[in-house]
Amino acid sequence: MSTALVVRPALPNPTSWYPGHMTRLTRMLPMHLSRTHVVLEVRDCRMPLTTVNRQFDETLRRWKIDRGRDPLTTLPRFDTGMACEHYVVLNKRDLMPSWGVEPLRHALRNLAPFRPTFFTSTSTMSEVKELRNALVNVAKRHPHIPELNVLVLGMPNVGKSSLLNALRTVGIQGRTAKALQTSAQPGRTRSISTPLKLNVSPPVYAYDTPGLMVPFLGHGETGAERGAKFALMSGLKEGLYDIHNIASYLLYKLNSLNPESPAYLPLIPRDAEPTNDVDELLALIAKKHNMLRTGGVLDVDRAANLFVNWWRDTGALPPDSGAALPTLPSASNPQITGWGFDFQWELAPHEINSAGDPLLIQAKMEECIVKHWQQEQKDESEGSNLSLRQQRKRSIAEKSLKRQKLIQ
């Protein structure tokens, strides 16, 4: 299958999902931050840019300024004696190839040195312990604080509750029951949790919050793809997207990342070839797994669910070779590769032999991050990140402000 044939499928317009408990959290967030010492902003490692919620930015910036901190450096503006740390946690790291972790860590350190980043997986307790130790160290640096309060923020289904349960397990000696209920579907947590003890001495407590989605996913193809990504990672309410649309987008991404040997090959018969046709793929999956309806008809609906849930559960990583860098054929044409569903880059012919160089990967990741930031800033300045209703409300507010200035 040629890379020229890998084209993005037609995707439905994104469906907004912003229930009332998300609105309440947005309004009450400044109040909760007033008694918070550390913010853990949890993102999904498979989509570390898509799961950035810009709604947090201004509120957290004001929180830092009020605590005497410069939001863009690690240096204090003046000493208030109050702890004020904002950590980014890229969760579900075990669902990503390990070869991209260190390049991304260094890329984020270069571009945002004022915001420490941790990679975590609830299946790897050493990473959870590293984050727990960072929280304990903050508490030790501020011994006058009776207890360190940690607020956990993030989009739906990025693993906030599971991460807190893991932090509790490594921080409290002896057997500990799971303190927070978790679910594979978004929206399980609908209010701020009661304090969850993560460490005894010094005392560290955490508060879980509902997953906060953005009110509007975007216009055109950009919004459609963003919606497909959230649906794929179970970040949206089940039923908002047809499973075949999700499967179609997943097929496109896997073929884009490795058209010669896509990750789904173990799901189809050995003699089958990679395909760009989702109907053909689902028929092959149903055939291999003997998914039949009455009358011997292939059950492509079950096949679509198997395909999507396979990615959600495994990240499309083979159990014994998740760290392997995809091999690229030697060619005179540029090649496309990437890491996860947010980092995709083109390799010029002279770069193909160095495709596995961590410094080259880091540079490509930094280009992706900067391009993403620039596009978000452009969308914000043009108002294209707002729905038509939000644009009208902004226009009315701006006109009202101008009239007030004229009157004064």
Side-chain angles (χ1 to χ4, degrees):
M1 182 177 63
S2 169
T3 55
L5 298 177
V6 182
V7 294
R8 185 166 62 184
L11 298 170
N13 293 327
T15 302
S16 295
W17 181 59
Y18 201 76
H21 68 271
M22 295 185 184
T23 302
R24 289 193 296 272
L25 174 61
T26 303
R27 292 173 179 170
M28 297 178 66
L29 186 55
M31 182 192 71
H32 293 302
L33 286 172
S34 67
R35 57 174 181 263
T36 295
H37 304 112
V38 180
V39 169
L40 296 185
E41 185 184 346
V42 184
R43 303 172 186 170
D44 192 315
C45 200
R46 299 168 296 179
M47 302 181 192
L49 301 181
T50 298
T51 50
V52 175
N53 193 330
R54 294 293 297 272
Q55 285 192 101
F56 298 141
D57 287 356
E58 179 57 29
T59 306
L60 292 177
R61 188 186 73 85
R62 175 52 55 188
W63 171 64
K64 286 188 172 184
I65 291 174
D66 290 344
R67 295 285 175 91
R69 299 285 291 276
D70 189 325
L72 299 180
T73 72
T74 57
L75 300 175
R77 301 172 67 186
F78 53 88
D79 186 13
T80 62
M82 294 289 287
C84 180
E85 302 292 341
H86 176 196
Y87 295 158
V88 170
V89 180
L90 295 181
N91 199 26
K92 305 186 182 182
R93 196 274 314 150
D94 56 320
L95 300 181
M96 290 298 297
S98 59
W99 56 262
V101 171
E102 288 307 312
L104 180 55
R105 191 194 307 273
H106 287 94
L108 293 172
R109 190 176 296 163
N110 277 350
L111 297 175
F114 52 89
R115 192 176 296 162
T117 300
F118 294 83
F119 289 80
T120 59
S121 164
T122 54
S123 64
T124 309
M125 285 302 172
S126 60
E127 296 171 334
V128 178
K129 287 180 181 178
E130 181 183 355
L131 177 58
R132 174 256 182 184
N133 290 339
L135 297 175
V136 171
N137 288 336
V138 175
K140 289 180 177 178
R141 292 199 302 268
H142 297 83
H144 60 283
I145 299 177
E147 59 189 40
L148 189 79
N149 290 328
V150 180
L151 188 67
V152 182
L153 301 174
M155 286 191 167
N157 213 32
V158 294
K160 299 185 298 298
S161 300
S162 297
L163 176 63
L164 281 177
N165 286 330
L167 284 168
R168 176 179 170 85
T169 298
V170 300
I172 306 295
Q173 293 184 354
R175 297 185 61 181
T176 59
K178 185 178 2 179
L180 298 174
Q181 294 184 340
T182 61
S183 172
Q185 295 301 321
R188 178 66 182 82
T189 304
R190 300 182 65 86
S191 60
I192 301 288
S193 72
T194 55
L196 178 67
K197 181 178 286 189
L198 302 184
N199 198 70
V200 176
S201 181
V204 179
Y205 289 86
Y207 296 81
D208 194 13
T209 64
L212 186 62
M213 180 55 67
V214 292
F216 182 66
L217 294 176
H219 296 279
E221 293 184 357
T222 300
E225 182 165 11
R226 196 178 190 194
K229 285 183 176 181
F230 282 126
L232 179 59
M233 59 173 277
S234 292
L236 294 173
K237 182 180 178 181
E238 186 176 9
L240 293 179
Y241 274 76
D242 182 82
I243 190 66
H244 289 264
N245 287 326
I246 304 175
S248 180
Y249 180 72
L250 176 58
L251 173 63
Y252 154 71
K253 291 300 295 185
L254 294 178
N255 280 340
S256 298
L257 292 173
N258 194 346
E260 301 296 327
S261 183
Y264 58 78
L265 289 183
L267 298 181
I268 62 179
R270 287 188 177 183
D271 58 349
E273 296 291 331
T275 178
N276 277 317
D277 188 328
V278 69
D279 294 326
E280 180 182 352
L281 175 75
L282 296 181
L284 290 170
I285 293 174
K287 179 180 178 181
K288 177 171 181 177
H289 295 272
N290 198 29
M291 294 178 172
L292 302 175
R293 292 178 175 173
T294 304
V297 179
L298 294 174
D299 192 341
V300 294
D301 291 334
R302 284 178 60 198
N305 278 287
L306 184 150
F307 182 42
V308 171
N309 287 323
W310 159 78
W311 180 86
R312 289 171 176 169
D313 293 339
T314 70
L317 292 180
D320 57 347
S321 59
L325 184 72
T327 56
L328 296 173
S330 298
S332 58
N333 297 323
Q335 299 291 317
I336 302 297
T337 188
W339 191 76
F341 284 9
D342 280 346
F343 292 105
Q344 189 166 309
W345 56 84
E346 183 178 278
L347 290 170
H350 70 276
E351 295 176 318
I352 291 176
N353 291 332
S354 304
D357 181 359
L359 291 178
L360 177 61
I361 295 171
Q362 177 185 335
K364 295 295 184 180
M365 286 180 165
E366 289 183 10
E367 291 177 7
C368 293
I369 294 171
V370 170
K371 183 178 179 181
H372 177 81
W373 285 351
Q374 290 174 341
Q375 184 61 50
E376 284 204 330
Q377 290 172 351
K378 180 182 177 183
D379 291 344
E380 188 171 342
S381 63
E382 296 176 351
S384 55
N385 62 329
L386 303 175
S387 66
L388 295 178
R389 181 180 179 183
Q390 290 171 325
Q391 290 176 6
R392 287 194 294 269
K393 290 178 66 175
R394 172 186 279 189
S395 178
I396 293 172
E398 289 176 348
K399 290 179 180 178
S400 176
L401 182 61
K402 287 181 180 179
R403 285 195 296 268
Q404 291 178 7
K405 288 183 178 179
L406 289 173
I407 293 173
Q408 294 174 354

